[in-house]
Amino acid sequence: MDTLSQMQRMFRFDAWATGESLAALRASGDASPRARRLVAHVLAAQWVWLSRLGQGGASWIALWPDLTLDECETHRRDLAGAWTRYLGGLDAAVLESTVTYTNSAGQAHSSRVDDLITHVAMHGHYHRGQAAMELRAAGHAPAVTDYIHATRNGLIE
């Protein structure tokens, strides 16, 4: 599998895993506002990174928004489509190109596109893990969002 195909698969996994996290939060009766806020942060950060990659504005969303579960689900679906469209239009040359952007602290940086895309996927996985811990601490079962679980069970292509 080439790099671009792997990245596309990574984002199909990301959308699935975030959906599973939201389903676990719903099943808990939204028992952990902190867990919901972590998932909302994952979604907000993805909009910001898409903007940095030249895919539209993200100035409307805070990095740590207090979104409802329904709002999170809407963003999850919209982001799945946005990442599919973005990644579907790339080639190897774009993946190796550099993007210059300003981070939330106002610092300018330049990074390779493939590194930014990898960061976004890892960032989501990290914070979904935190959300799972918060949900478990609140006495509820977190979602199983391991990549190998998804692939073994045919949950992502």
Side-chain angles (χ1 to χ4, degrees):
M1 182 180 299
D2 63 61
T3 301
L4 184 55
S5 296
Q6 184 62 35
M7 289 183 166
Q8 291 166 333
R9 190 172 195 212
M10 208 168 33
F11 276 86
R12 287 192 301 274
F13 163 75
D14 182 85
W16 169 82
T18 300
E20 292 295 296
S21 294
L22 290 170
L25 282 165
R26 277 192 200 285
S28 78
D30 200 13
S32 174
R34 176 152 167 72
R36 179 177 25 86
R37 194 158 185 240
L38 286 160
V39 174
H41 168 68
V42 168
L43 298 165
Q46 286 197 18
W47 285 122
V48 170
W49 283 109
L50 275 169
S51 177
R52 291 174 182 166
L53 290 163
Q55 300 304 299
S59 59
W60 55 270
I61 194 162
L63 270 176
W64 288 94
D66 187 17
L67 302 176
T68 66
L69 291 175
D70 288 341
E71 289 169 326
C72 285
E73 180 56 33
T74 297
H75 284 290
R76 185 196 70 81
R77 281 193 313 266
D78 292 348
L79 280 159
W83 282 109
T84 298
R85 286 186 300 279
Y86 174 66
L87 294 168
L90 297 183
D91 60 27
V94 174
L95 288 176
E96 294 175 3
S97 68
T98 300
V99 172
T100 299
Y101 57 94
T102 302
N103 69 9
S104 59
Q107 301 163 324
H109 295 281
S110 292
S111 299
R112 282 176 48 133
V113 170
D114 56 354
D115 289 337
L116 295 177
I117 292 168
T118 301
H119 167 74
V120 172
M122 290 180 164
H123 177 259
H125 202 66
Y126 172 75
H127 285 303
R128 282 189 302 271
Q130 289 179 312
M133 271 185 23
E134 291 290 333
L135 200 54
R136 188 178 302 284
H140 297 274
V144 177
T145 59
D146 290 335
Y147 181 80
I148 198 65
H149 168 76
T151 60
R152 269 194 319 246
N153 290 290
L155 301 170
I156 59 168
E157 296 176 16

